[in-house]
mmCIF file of all heavy atoms in Angstrom:
data_model
loop_
_atom_site.group_PDB
_atom_site.id
_atom_site.type_symbol
_atom_site.label_atom_id
_atom_site.label_comp_id
_atom_site.label_asym_id
_atom_site.label_seq_id
_atom_site.Cartn_x
_atom_site.Cartn_y
_atom_site.Cartn_z
ATOM 1 N N ALA A 1 1.727 7.307 -14.305
ATOM 2 C CA ALA A 1 2.951 7.795 -14.943
ATOM 3 C C ALA A 1 3.455 6.803 -15.990
ATOM 4 O O ALA A 1 3.905 7.198 -17.073
ATOM 5 C CB ALA A 1 4.020 8.040 -13.881
ATOM 6 N N LEU A 2 3.383 5.521 -15.678
ATOM 7 C CA LEU A 2 3.783 4.498 -16.655
ATOM 8 C C LEU A 2 2.925 4.585 -17.906
ATOM 9 O O LEU A 2 3.424 4.509 -19.037
ATOM 10 C CB LEU A 2 3.667 3.113 -16.023
ATOM 11 C CG LEU A 2 4.687 2.771 -14.940
ATOM 12 C CD1 LEU A 2 4.202 1.578 -14.111
ATOM 13 C CD2 LEU A 2 6.055 2.473 -15.553
ATOM 14 N N TYR A 3 1.620 4.740 -17.701
ATOM 15 C CA TYR A 3 0.710 4.802 -18.838
ATOM 16 C C TYR A 3 0.968 6.057 -19.667
ATOM 17 O O TYR A 3 0.979 6.011 -20.901
ATOM 18 C CB TYR A 3 -0.732 4.786 -18.323
ATOM 19 C CG TYR A 3 -1.767 4.561 -19.401
ATOM 20 C CD1 TYR A 3 -1.655 3.520 -20.317
ATOM 21 C CD2 TYR A 3 -2.876 5.395 -19.496
ATOM 22 C CE1 TYR A 3 -2.614 3.317 -21.292
ATOM 23 C CE2 TYR A 3 -3.841 5.200 -20.469
ATOM 24 C CZ TYR A 3 -3.710 4.160 -21.367
ATOM 25 O OH TYR A 3 -4.659 3.957 -22.334
ATOM 26 N N ARG A 4 1.186 7.168 -18.998
ATOM 27 C CA ARG A 4 1.467 8.418 -19.720
ATOM 28 C C ARG A 4 2.690 8.280 -20.613
ATOM 29 O O ARG A 4 2.724 8.797 -21.734
ATOM 30 C CB ARG A 4 1.663 9.564 -18.736
ATOM 31 C CG ARG A 4 2.093 10.857 -19.423
ATOM 32 C CD ARG A 4 2.026 12.042 -18.529
ATOM 33 N NE ARG A 4 2.479 13.245 -19.225
ATOM 34 C CZ ARG A 4 2.061 14.468 -18.955
ATOM 35 N NH1 ARG A 4 1.167 14.674 -18.006
ATOM 36 N NH2 ARG A 4 2.527 15.509 -19.615
ATOM 37 N N HIS A 5 3.706 7.583 -20.126
ATOM 38 C CA HIS A 5 4.972 7.488 -20.844
ATOM 39 C C HIS A 5 5.091 6.211 -21.685
ATOM 40 O O HIS A 5 6.146 5.972 -22.281
ATOM 41 C CB HIS A 5 6.132 7.587 -19.856
ATOM 42 C CG HIS A 5 6.283 8.956 -19.269
ATOM 43 N ND1 HIS A 5 6.986 9.964 -19.868
ATOM 44 C CD2 HIS A 5 5.752 9.497 -18.133
ATOM 45 C CE1 HIS A 5 6.928 11.056 -19.130
ATOM 46 N NE2 HIS A 5 6.189 10.803 -18.071
ATOM 47 N N GLY A 6 4.033 5.421 -21.753
ATOM 48 C CA GLY A 6 4.052 4.230 -22.600
ATOM 49 C C GLY A 6 5.041 3.179 -22.148
ATOM 50 O O GLY A 6 5.633 2.472 -22.971
ATOM 51 N N ILE A 7 5.223 3.052 -20.841
ATOM 52 C CA ILE A 7 6.177 2.086 -20.289
ATOM 53 C C ILE A 7 5.418 0.892 -19.732
ATOM 54 O O ILE A 7 4.601 1.035 -18.809
ATOM 55 C CB ILE A 7 7.042 2.717 -19.189
ATOM 56 C CG1 ILE A 7 7.871 3.869 -19.769
ATOM 57 C CG2 ILE A 7 7.946 1.675 -18.537
ATOM 58 C CD1 ILE A 7 8.655 4.649 -18.726
ATOM 59 N N GLY A 8 5.660 -0.278 -20.259
ATOM 60 C CA GLY A 8 5.080 -1.504 -19.740
ATOM 61 C C GLY A 8 3.570 -1.549 -19.877
ATOM 62 O O GLY A 8 2.958 -0.838 -20.682
ATOM 63 N N ARG A 9 2.951 -2.414 -19.051
ATOM 64 C CA ARG A 9 1.509 -2.619 -19.060
ATOM 65 C C ARG A 9 0.972 -2.339 -17.666
ATOM 66 O O ARG A 9 0.999 -3.212 -16.795
ATOM 67 C CB ARG A 9 1.187 -4.055 -19.499
ATOM 68 C CG ARG A 9 1.609 -4.353 -20.932
ATOM 69 C CD ARG A 9 1.374 -5.805 -21.298
ATOM 70 N NE ARG A 9 2.255 -6.696 -20.556
ATOM 71 C CZ ARG A 9 3.499 -6.992 -20.916
ATOM 72 N NH1 ARG A 9 4.014 -6.452 -22.007
ATOM 73 N NH2 ARG A 9 4.236 -7.813 -20.201
ATOM 74 N N PRO A 10 0.504 -1.132 -17.404
ATOM 75 C CA PRO A 10 -0.059 -0.813 -16.082
ATOM 76 C C PRO A 10 -1.417 -1.489 -15.910
ATOM 77 O O PRO A 10 -2.253 -1.457 -16.816
ATOM 78 C CB PRO A 10 -0.200 0.714 -16.101
ATOM 79 C CG PRO A 10 0.439 1.190 -17.367
ATOM 80 C CD PRO A 10 0.484 0.038 -18.296
ATOM 81 N N VAL A 11 -1.641 -2.064 -14.737
ATOM 82 C CA VAL A 11 -2.877 -2.799 -14.471
ATOM 83 C C VAL A 11 -3.345 -2.477 -13.056
ATOM 84 O O VAL A 11 -2.587 -2.611 -12.087
ATOM 85 C CB VAL A 11 -2.671 -4.321 -14.609
ATOM 86 C CG1 VAL A 11 -3.967 -5.069 -14.296
ATOM 87 C CG2 VAL A 11 -2.190 -4.682 -16.006
ATOM 88 N N HIS A 12 -4.602 -2.067 -12.939
ATOM 89 C CA HIS A 12 -5.243 -1.920 -11.634
ATOM 90 C C HIS A 12 -5.639 -3.303 -11.134
ATOM 91 O O HIS A 12 -6.292 -4.061 -11.855
ATOM 92 C CB HIS A 12 -6.489 -1.043 -11.774
ATOM 93 C CG HIS A 12 -7.369 -1.033 -10.563
ATOM 94 N ND1 HIS A 12 -7.429 0.033 -9.691
ATOM 95 C CD2 HIS A 12 -8.233 -1.954 -10.071
ATOM 96 C CE1 HIS A 12 -8.283 -0.231 -8.729
ATOM 97 N NE2 HIS A 12 -8.785 -1.445 -8.928
ATOM 98 N N GLY A 13 -5.233 -3.643 -9.917
ATOM 99 C CA GLY A 13 -5.600 -4.939 -9.357
ATOM 100 C C GLY A 13 -5.144 -5.076 -7.920
ATOM 101 O O GLY A 13 -4.445 -4.201 -7.391
ATOM 102 N N PRO A 14 -5.519 -6.170 -7.249
ATOM 103 C CA PRO A 14 -5.228 -6.348 -5.823
ATOM 104 C C PRO A 14 -3.740 -6.282 -5.497
ATOM 105 O O PRO A 14 -2.876 -6.604 -6.325
ATOM 106 C CB PRO A 14 -5.779 -7.752 -5.529
ATOM 107 C CG PRO A 14 -6.866 -7.941 -6.546
ATOM 108 C CD PRO A 14 -6.353 -7.260 -7.791
ATOM 109 N N LEU A 15 -3.452 -5.886 -4.274
ATOM 110 C CA LEU A 15 -2.104 -5.873 -3.731
ATOM 111 C C LEU A 15 -1.806 -7.204 -3.043
ATOM 112 O O LEU A 15 -2.725 -7.909 -2.611
ATOM 113 C CB LEU A 15 -1.958 -4.744 -2.711
ATOM 114 C CG LEU A 15 -2.297 -3.344 -3.196
ATOM 115 C CD1 LEU A 15 -2.435 -2.398 -2.014
ATOM 116 C CD2 LEU A 15 -1.251 -2.841 -4.180
ATOM 117 N N ALA A 16 -0.524 -7.508 -2.887
ATOM 118 C CA ALA A 16 -0.170 -8.712 -2.128
ATOM 119 C C ALA A 16 -0.698 -8.609 -0.700
ATOM 120 O O ALA A 16 -1.178 -9.600 -0.124
ATOM 121 C CB ALA A 16 1.342 -8.897 -2.132
ATOM 122 N N GLY A 17 -0.649 -7.418 -0.125
ATOM 123 C CA GLY A 17 -1.112 -7.229 1.238
ATOM 124 C C GLY A 17 -2.596 -7.446 1.431
ATOM 125 O O GLY A 17 -3.064 -7.550 2.573
ATOM 126 N N ASP A 18 -3.352 -7.545 0.354
ATOM 127 C CA ASP A 18 -4.787 -7.797 0.476
ATOM 128 C C ASP A 18 -5.089 -9.201 0.985
ATOM 129 O O ASP A 18 -6.242 -9.514 1.287
ATOM 130 C CB ASP A 18 -5.488 -7.577 -0.873
ATOM 131 C CG ASP A 18 -5.654 -6.105 -1.205
ATOM 132 O OD1 ASP A 18 -5.731 -5.295 -0.260
ATOM 133 O OD2 ASP A 18 -5.703 -5.758 -2.396
ATOM 134 N N ILE A 19 -4.067 -10.030 1.105
ATOM 135 C CA ILE A 19 -4.294 -11.356 1.682
ATOM 136 C C ILE A 19 -4.814 -11.246 3.109
ATOM 137 O O ILE A 19 -5.433 -12.177 3.633
ATOM 138 C CB ILE A 19 -3.009 -12.213 1.625
ATOM 139 C CG1 ILE A 19 -3.361 -13.698 1.782
ATOM 140 C CG2 ILE A 19 -1.977 -11.737 2.655
ATOM 141 C CD1 ILE A 19 -2.263 -14.650 1.399
ATOM 142 N N ARG A 20 -4.626 -10.103 3.756
ATOM 143 C CA ARG A 20 -5.100 -9.911 5.129
ATOM 144 C C ARG A 20 -6.605 -9.756 5.189
ATOM 145 O O ARG A 20 -7.206 -9.889 6.275
ATOM 146 C CB ARG A 20 -4.450 -8.677 5.747
ATOM 147 C CG ARG A 20 -4.978 -7.351 5.207
ATOM 148 C CD ARG A 20 -4.135 -6.191 5.652
ATOM 149 N NE ARG A 20 -4.708 -4.886 5.339
ATOM 150 C CZ ARG A 20 -4.627 -4.307 4.151
ATOM 151 N NH1 ARG A 20 -4.013 -4.929 3.150
ATOM 152 N NH2 ARG A 20 -5.161 -3.110 3.948
ATOM 153 N N ARG A 21 -7.254 -9.460 4.083
ATOM 154 C CA ARG A 21 -8.688 -9.202 4.070
ATOM 155 C C ARG A 21 -9.478 -10.511 4.031
ATOM 156 O O ARG A 21 -8.957 -11.559 3.640
ATOM 157 C CB ARG A 21 -9.062 -8.358 2.849
ATOM 158 C CG ARG A 21 -8.326 -7.037 2.750
ATOM 159 C CD ARG A 21 -8.857 -6.236 1.570
ATOM 160 N NE ARG A 21 -8.049 -5.051 1.307
ATOM 161 C CZ ARG A 21 -8.189 -3.887 1.920
ATOM 162 N NH1 ARG A 21 -9.118 -3.748 2.865
ATOM 163 N NH2 ARG A 21 -7.428 -2.854 1.617
ATOM 164 N N GLU A 22 -10.742 -10.444 4.412
ATOM 165 C CA GLU A 22 -11.624 -11.587 4.224
ATOM 166 C C GLU A 22 -11.728 -11.864 2.722
ATOM 167 O O GLU A 22 -12.011 -10.959 1.933
ATOM 168 C CB GLU A 22 -13.010 -11.290 4.793
ATOM 169 C CG GLU A 22 -13.978 -12.450 4.687
ATOM 170 C CD GLU A 22 -15.324 -12.140 5.304
ATOM 171 O OE1 GLU A 22 -15.485 -11.041 5.903
ATOM 172 O OE2 GLU A 22 -16.229 -12.998 5.186
ATOM 173 N N GLY A 23 -11.468 -13.091 2.329
ATOM 174 C CA GLY A 23 -11.441 -13.424 0.918
ATOM 175 C C GLY A 23 -10.137 -13.061 0.235
ATOM 176 O O GLY A 23 -10.037 -13.094 -0.992
ATOM 177 N N GLY A 24 -9.117 -12.725 1.022
ATOM 178 C CA GLY A 24 -7.856 -12.257 0.459
ATOM 179 C C GLY A 24 -7.107 -13.285 -0.361
ATOM 180 O O GLY A 24 -6.424 -12.938 -1.323
ATOM 181 N N GLU A 25 -7.210 -14.554 0.016
ATOM 182 C CA GLU A 25 -6.518 -15.574 -0.772
ATOM 183 C C GLU A 25 -7.065 -15.643 -2.193
ATOM 184 O O GLU A 25 -6.312 -15.849 -3.150
ATOM 185 C CB GLU A 25 -6.626 -16.933 -0.078
ATOM 186 C CG GLU A 25 -5.809 -17.018 1.204
ATOM 187 C CD GLU A 25 -5.765 -18.429 1.769
ATOM 188 O OE1 GLU A 25 -6.463 -19.318 1.221
ATOM 189 O OE2 GLU A 25 -5.023 -18.640 2.751
ATOM 190 N N ALA A 26 -8.362 -15.439 -2.348
ATOM 191 C CA ALA A 26 -8.959 -15.426 -3.690
ATOM 192 C C ALA A 26 -8.418 -14.242 -4.494
ATOM 193 O O ALA A 26 -8.194 -14.361 -5.712
ATOM 194 C CB ALA A 26 -10.484 -15.359 -3.596
ATOM 195 N N ALA A 27 -8.218 -13.112 -3.836
ATOM 196 C CA ALA A 27 -7.656 -11.951 -4.529
ATOM 197 C C ALA A 27 -6.236 -12.239 -5.006
ATOM 198 O O ALA A 27 -5.851 -11.884 -6.129
ATOM 199 C CB ALA A 27 -7.678 -10.738 -3.613
ATOM 200 N N VAL A 28 -5.440 -12.879 -4.154
ATOM 201 C CA VAL A 28 -4.074 -13.242 -4.536
ATOM 202 C C VAL A 28 -4.086 -14.218 -5.706
ATOM 203 O O VAL A 28 -3.321 -14.080 -6.674
ATOM 204 C CB VAL A 28 -3.323 -13.824 -3.330
ATOM 205 C CG1 VAL A 28 -2.001 -14.457 -3.759
ATOM 206 C CG2 VAL A 28 -3.073 -12.733 -2.290
ATOM 207 N N ARG A 29 -4.955 -15.202 -5.646
ATOM 208 C CA ARG A 29 -5.056 -16.159 -6.764
ATOM 209 C C ARG A 29 -5.450 -15.450 -8.059
ATOM 210 O O ARG A 29 -4.955 -15.793 -9.139
ATOM 211 C CB ARG A 29 -6.062 -17.256 -6.433
ATOM 212 C CG ARG A 29 -5.617 -18.205 -5.341
ATOM 213 C CD ARG A 29 -6.593 -19.367 -5.187
ATOM 214 N NE ARG A 29 -6.191 -20.233 -4.086
ATOM 215 C CZ ARG A 29 -6.721 -20.170 -2.857
ATOM 216 N NH1 ARG A 29 -7.689 -19.280 -2.591
ATOM 217 N NH2 ARG A 29 -6.291 -20.975 -1.905
ATOM 218 N N ARG A 30 -6.345 -14.474 -7.958
ATOM 219 C CA ARG A 30 -6.786 -13.759 -9.155
ATOM 220 C C ARG A 30 -5.606 -13.050 -9.816
ATOM 221 O O ARG A 30 -5.484 -13.051 -11.047
ATOM 222 C CB ARG A 30 -7.879 -12.762 -8.765
ATOM 223 C CG ARG A 30 -8.622 -12.152 -9.925
ATOM 224 C CD ARG A 30 -9.985 -11.641 -9.500
ATOM 225 N NE ARG A 30 -9.924 -10.566 -8.534
ATOM 226 C CZ ARG A 30 -10.257 -10.688 -7.236
ATOM 227 N NH1 ARG A 30 -10.676 -11.841 -6.745
ATOM 228 N NH2 ARG A 30 -10.180 -9.645 -6.428
ATOM 229 N N VAL A 31 -4.749 -12.456 -9.005
ATOM 230 C CA VAL A 31 -3.566 -11.792 -9.543
ATOM 231 C C VAL A 31 -2.599 -12.806 -10.150
ATOM 232 O O VAL A 31 -2.082 -12.610 -11.257
ATOM 233 C CB VAL A 31 -2.871 -10.961 -8.452
ATOM 234 C CG1 VAL A 31 -1.509 -10.461 -8.935
ATOM 235 C CG2 VAL A 31 -3.740 -9.788 -8.044
ATOM 236 N N LEU A 32 -2.343 -13.891 -9.439
ATOM 237 C CA LEU A 32 -1.392 -14.884 -9.946
ATOM 238 C C LEU A 32 -1.913 -15.545 -11.213
ATOM 239 O O LEU A 32 -1.132 -15.840 -12.133
ATOM 240 C CB LEU A 32 -1.098 -15.918 -8.864
ATOM 241 C CG LEU A 32 -0.370 -15.372 -7.625
ATOM 242 C CD1 LEU A 32 -0.201 -16.466 -6.577
ATOM 243 C CD2 LEU A 32 0.979 -14.773 -8.001
ATOM 244 N N ASP A 33 -3.212 -15.781 -11.290
ATOM 245 C CA ASP A 33 -3.794 -16.318 -12.523
ATOM 246 C C ASP A 33 -3.568 -15.344 -13.679
ATOM 247 O O ASP A 33 -3.217 -15.740 -14.791
ATOM 248 C CB ASP A 33 -5.298 -16.550 -12.350
ATOM 249 C CG ASP A 33 -5.628 -17.789 -11.535
ATOM 250 O OD1 ASP A 33 -4.745 -18.654 -11.366
ATOM 251 O OD2 ASP A 33 -6.779 -17.894 -11.051
ATOM 252 N N PHE A 34 -3.787 -14.069 -13.401
ATOM 253 C CA PHE A 34 -3.637 -13.060 -14.448
ATOM 254 C C PHE A 34 -2.180 -12.910 -14.878
ATOM 255 O O PHE A 34 -1.868 -12.944 -16.080
ATOM 256 C CB PHE A 34 -4.177 -11.724 -13.944
ATOM 257 C CG PHE A 34 -3.914 -10.576 -14.872
ATOM 258 C CD1 PHE A 34 -4.662 -10.417 -16.029
ATOM 259 C CD2 PHE A 34 -2.917 -9.660 -14.598
ATOM 260 C CE1 PHE A 34 -4.419 -9.358 -16.893
ATOM 261 C CE2 PHE A 34 -2.668 -8.601 -15.457
ATOM 262 C CZ PHE A 34 -3.414 -8.454 -16.603
ATOM 263 N N LEU A 35 -1.279 -12.752 -13.923
ATOM 264 C CA LEU A 35 0.116 -12.514 -14.274
ATOM 265 C C LEU A 35 0.775 -13.724 -14.925
ATOM 266 O O LEU A 35 1.702 -13.572 -15.726
ATOM 267 C CB LEU A 35 0.900 -12.091 -13.029
ATOM 268 C CG LEU A 35 0.559 -10.717 -12.441
ATOM 269 C CD1 LEU A 35 1.389 -10.445 -11.202
ATOM 270 C CD2 LEU A 35 0.771 -9.603 -13.474
ATOM 271 N N SER A 36 0.296 -14.913 -14.607
ATOM 272 C CA SER A 36 0.867 -16.125 -15.205
ATOM 273 C C SER A 36 0.184 -16.510 -16.512
ATOM 274 O O SER A 36 0.560 -17.506 -17.141
ATOM 275 C CB SER A 36 0.779 -17.293 -14.215
ATOM 276 O OG SER A 36 -0.572 -17.607 -13.928
ATOM 277 N N GLY A 37 -0.829 -15.744 -16.908
ATOM 278 C CA GLY A 37 -1.508 -16.018 -18.170
ATOM 279 C C GLY A 37 -2.564 -17.089 -18.106
ATOM 280 O O GLY A 37 -3.099 -17.506 -19.138
ATOM 281 N N LYS A 38 -2.923 -17.534 -16.895
ATOM 282 C CA LYS A 38 -3.952 -18.571 -16.772
ATOM 283 C C LYS A 38 -5.355 -18.013 -16.963
ATOM 284 O O LYS A 38 -6.281 -18.762 -17.293
ATOM 285 C CB LYS A 38 -3.853 -19.243 -15.399
ATOM 286 C CG LYS A 38 -2.619 -20.102 -15.220
ATOM 287 C CD LYS A 38 -2.643 -20.799 -13.871
ATOM 288 C CE LYS A 38 -1.441 -21.715 -13.715
ATOM 289 N NZ LYS A 38 -1.454 -22.416 -12.394
ATOM 290 N N ALA A 39 -5.535 -16.731 -16.709
ATOM 291 C CA ALA A 39 -6.855 -16.129 -16.830
ATOM 292 C C ALA A 39 -6.711 -14.673 -17.234
ATOM 293 O O ALA A 39 -5.824 -13.965 -16.749
ATOM 294 C CB ALA A 39 -7.614 -16.229 -15.507
ATOM 295 N N ALA A 40 -7.574 -14.237 -18.127
ATOM 296 C CA ALA A 40 -7.639 -12.833 -18.512
ATOM 297 C C ALA A 40 -8.662 -12.136 -17.633
ATOM 298 O O ALA A 40 -9.535 -12.783 -17.049
ATOM 299 C CB ALA A 40 -8.042 -12.706 -19.982
ATOM 300 N N PRO A 41 -8.580 -10.828 -17.511
ATOM 301 C CA PRO A 41 -9.609 -10.108 -16.747
ATOM 302 C C PRO A 41 -10.944 -10.206 -17.475
ATOM 303 O O PRO A 41 -10.982 -10.401 -18.694
ATOM 304 C CB PRO A 41 -9.085 -8.674 -16.725
ATOM 305 C CG PRO A 41 -8.227 -8.567 -17.935
ATOM 306 C CD PRO A 41 -7.589 -9.907 -18.108
ATOM 307 N N PRO A 42 -12.044 -10.091 -16.765
ATOM 308 C CA PRO A 42 -13.347 -10.106 -17.438
ATOM 309 C C PRO A 42 -13.424 -8.988 -18.476
ATOM 310 O O PRO A 42 -12.947 -7.882 -18.249
ATOM 311 C CB PRO A 42 -14.341 -9.859 -16.293
ATOM 312 C CG PRO A 42 -13.600 -10.203 -15.048
ATOM 313 C CD PRO A 42 -12.164 -9.904 -15.321
ATOM 314 N N ALA A 43 -14.005 -9.292 -19.610
ATOM 315 C CA ALA A 43 -14.138 -8.284 -20.656
ATOM 316 C C ALA A 43 -15.084 -7.188 -20.186
ATOM 317 O O ALA A 43 -16.169 -7.488 -19.678
ATOM 318 C CB ALA A 43 -14.664 -8.916 -21.931
ATOM 319 N N PRO A 44 -14.688 -5.920 -20.310
ATOM 320 C CA PRO A 44 -15.605 -4.846 -19.926
ATOM 321 C C PRO A 44 -16.804 -4.803 -20.864
ATOM 322 O O PRO A 44 -16.744 -5.294 -21.988
ATOM 323 C CB PRO A 44 -14.746 -3.585 -20.064
ATOM 324 C CG PRO A 44 -13.697 -3.945 -21.069
ATOM 325 C CD PRO A 44 -13.430 -5.413 -20.856
ATOM 326 N N SER A 45 -17.883 -4.215 -20.387
ATOM 327 C CA SER A 45 -19.083 -4.157 -21.217
ATOM 328 C C SER A 45 -18.863 -3.273 -22.438
ATOM 329 O O SER A 45 -19.537 -3.435 -23.448
ATOM 330 C CB SER A 45 -20.268 -3.628 -20.391
ATOM 331 O OG SER A 45 -19.956 -2.362 -19.835
ATOM 332 N N GLU A 46 -17.921 -2.345 -22.359
ATOM 333 C CA GLU A 46 -17.574 -1.511 -23.511
ATOM 334 C C GLU A 46 -16.167 -1.907 -23.963
ATOM 335 O O GLU A 46 -15.196 -1.194 -23.736
ATOM 336 C CB GLU A 46 -17.623 -0.021 -23.149
ATOM 337 C CG GLU A 46 -18.965 0.449 -22.597
ATOM 338 C CD GLU A 46 -19.065 0.298 -21.094
ATOM 339 O OE1 GLU A 46 -18.147 -0.308 -20.494
ATOM 340 O OE2 GLU A 46 -20.055 0.772 -20.513
#
């Protein structure tokens, strides 16, 4: 809905609750790196 209406920057990515999963801390770090501007997502092949 955000994307349809041009509101903000919608991004598919891990949830905070994913910390419960095996490897969950890495998922949380990936989000925090992205949201804080420390790392961009991998460039898609297209």
Side-chain angles (χ1 to χ4, degrees):
L2 290 162
Y3 192 50
R4 174 168 179 151
H5 290 274
I7 298 174
R9 296 176 292 276
V11 179
H12 169 105
L15 304 166
D18 284 333
I19 199 165
R20 73 191 189 279
R21 303 185 189 276
E22 182 178 355
E25 290 188 354
V28 169
R29 291 187 183 98
R30 192 157 64 252
V31 170
L32 295 177
D33 284 343
F34 173 76
L35 292 179
S36 63
K38 290 184 177 180
S45 56
E46 303 89 352

